[in-house]
Amino acid sequence: MLGNIENRKSRRYPSIARAKIPELFAGDALLKDISVTGCCIECTMQVDVDPDSEFTMTIHPEKEAGVRRFDLVVECKWCHSGAYSCCIGFSVKQSPKKKDFLKYVDYLAWRCNK
């Protein structure tokens, strides 16, 4: 299930950042949305991932955000494959560069509310 927005712990903000998880796929994925507790990515390849698997995801924010790239330790919650893309939902377990992560979420919140 894609997750009911009303049941989320924290509001998700749409993003256009790039996400990389070398253990899962080569290249970049689109970071569709993010909050302090979770995120969703979309990629143009089929990915086989088990729920509850942990990965290190590198986020490359859009230039306008003024935020350096940062890593998140994430846990897969669900994976949905379509004909041409794959969406994967994650919970955020840890952020080694927490300041950059929070600055990016704050930027997205500001952008959504302006």
Side-chain angles (χ1 to χ4, degrees):
M1 175 178 271
L2 289 174
N4 189 337
I5 289 178
E6 291 80 29
N7 292 335
R8 296 194 189 279
K9 293 178 184 177
S10 302
R11 181 176 173 194
R12 294 272 181 103
Y13 298 103
S15 170
I16 56 171
R18 294 179 297 127
K20 293 184 180 225
I21 306 175
E23 303 97 326
L24 280 182
F25 51 84
D28 296 342
L30 170 69
L31 180 68
K32 289 181 65 173
D33 60 46
I34 191 168
S35 73
V36 294
T37 59
C39 63
C40 177
I41 65 169
E42 183 173 16
C43 53
T44 57
M45 63 214 79
Q46 299 302 314
V47 179
D48 185 25
V49 58
D50 294 323
D52 302 323
S53 300
E54 284 193 14
F55 303 96
T56 298
M57 177 188 298
T58 302
I59 305 294
H60 296 266
E62 56 274 25
K63 185 177 180 179
E64 297 77 18
V67 178
R68 298 175 298 196
R69 75 175 188 208
F70 57 90
D71 291 337
L72 298 174
V73 177
V74 295
E75 181 180 304
C76 177
K77 292 300 179 185
W78 52 265
C79 180
H80 297 285
S81 294
Y84 301 103
S85 66
C86 180
C87 286
I88 308 170
F90 296 94
S91 64
V92 175
K93 305 298 278 182
Q94 185 181 48
S95 174
K97 291 185 177 178
K98 191 171 188 168
K99 184 177 177 182
D100 292 326
F101 170 46
L102 295 177
K103 185 177 176 184
Y104 184 59
V105 173
D106 285 345
Y107 163 77
L108 294 175
W110 169 82
R111 190 178 71 190
C112 283
N113 292 318
K114 71 176 196 173

